[in-house]
């Protein structure tokens, strides 16, 4: 399965270690198209070498190509909000992982009926369990 | 003109003073539908008394009703990213105000061709000037 993993880049990289572990776990039996999101060397300003138009077109192509979107939403991010709305528009299945200890999920996401696979987790083992349980049904 | 003002709530309220001033300025000659975003008493968890479904439905109704979306994007926010994608889907005119001293705007927003009215500002007087210059052409 081709997976579009969505998480914060310019919104903040505090959780990059979590992103890396989630991507590695998903990659065991799937192909994560957006592997760069787990790259430790990618800082808040890390994609500056690439043009915004290029990044946006590349990511929207991957979104159109994917079978599933997995979004980590604990760090607020304009891009992830935009990607979630785009996933809804493209009728892509969406799994949202949210660490409620880190932040409260936006009402615009939590209140949108399309997003009916929102899971709170508190540690990485729990996140893996959620993914292992949910992915086979996609 | 009916204006949907979009800015961070659960993503963080550091800039509420800026939101309040922008809303007051817009309200001089227009009607801001989302006035609560400038409410000092509305904390990150401030809308907890309202149901997420209610908030989301109310805001999407306002978005459908508005003539213009003005988004302040300096504080990363899932909700604002979702609202911007929804404004694009509904073909609403969008003005984005961004304080580049606070953060770097998401590539998914800066790189989307539909968002062709993105303005950097560094103080509130400059933001007022941008709005006064741009609004008559909407």
């Amino acid at each position: 399965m081709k997976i579009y993993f969505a998480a914060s880049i310019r919104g903040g990289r505090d959780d990059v270690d979590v992103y890396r572990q989630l991507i590695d776990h998903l990659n065991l039996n799937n192909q994560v198209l957006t592997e760069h999101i787990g790259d430790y060397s990618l800082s808040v300003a890390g994609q500056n070498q690439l043009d915004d138009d290029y990044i946006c077109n590349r990511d929207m192509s991957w979104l159109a190509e994917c079978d599933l979107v997995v979004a980590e939403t604990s760090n607020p991010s304009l891009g992830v909000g935009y990607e979630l709305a785009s996933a809804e528009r493209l009728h892509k299945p969406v799994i949202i992982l949210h660490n409620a200890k880190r932040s409260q999920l936006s009402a615009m996401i939590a209140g949108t009926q399309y997003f009916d696979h929102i899971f709170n987790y508190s540690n990485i083992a729990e996140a893996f369990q959620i993914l292992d349980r949910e992915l086979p049904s996609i």
Side-chain angles (χ1 to χ4, degrees), chain A residues 69-74 80 84 94-98 105 109-110 115-121 130-131:
Chain A
V69 174
V70 175
E72 209 294 336
T73 53
S74 313
V80 175
L84 285 171
V94 176
I95 290 176
I96 293 174
L97 294 172
H98 191 84
L105 184 59
I109 306 302
F115 304 126
D116 57 358
H117 284 66
I118 298 176
F119 302 98
N120 285 309
Y121 74 97
I130 292 163
L131 293 173

Side-chain angles (χ1 to χ4, degrees), chain A residues 61-134:
Chain A
S61 296
W62 276 334
L63 198 60
E65 184 188 345
C66 78
D67 305 300
L68 168 69
V69 174
V70 175
E72 209 294 336
T73 53
S74 313
N75 193 106
S77 157
L78 283 160
V80 175
Y82 186 86
E83 288 161 329
L84 285 171
S86 303
E88 181 186 4
R89 181 172 53 76
L90 296 168
H91 308 292
K92 299 290 180 179
V94 176
I95 290 176
I96 293 174
L97 294 172
H98 191 84
N99 188 334
K101 287 190 293 191
R102 292 264 295 106
S103 67
Q104 190 189 13
L105 184 59
S106 163
M108 297 305 289
I109 306 302
T112 293
Q113 289 200 336
Y114 186 80
F115 304 126
D116 57 358
H117 284 66
I118 298 176
F119 302 98
N120 285 309
Y121 74 97
S122 52
N123 59 59
I124 197 75
E126 211 177 325
F128 290 168
Q129 278 175 5
I130 292 163
L131 293 173
D132 293 345
R133 188 186 68 222
E134 296 298 323

Side-chain angles (χ1 to χ4, degrees), chain A residues 18-76:
Chain A
V18 173
Y19 306 158
R20 177 74 262 158
Q21 291 179 76
L22 292 173
I23 289 167
D24 286 347
H25 191 77
L26 290 168
N27 264 336
L28 293 175
N29 297 302
N30 305 277
Q31 181 194 358
V32 174
L33 301 174
T34 54
E35 271 202 294
H36 64 287
I37 293 186
D39 184 348
Y40 291 100
S41 67
L42 183 61
S43 67
V44 171
Q47 285 189 315
N48 270 355
Q49 69 279 17
L50 298 176
D51 187 71
D52 285 340
D53 292 356
Y54 172 83
I55 296 172
C56 186
N57 286 333
R58 177 198 64 188
D59 291 4
M60 291 307 286
S61 296
W62 276 334
L63 198 60
E65 184 188 345
C66 78
D67 305 300
L68 168 69
V69 174
V70 175
E72 209 294 336
T73 53
S74 313
N75 193 106

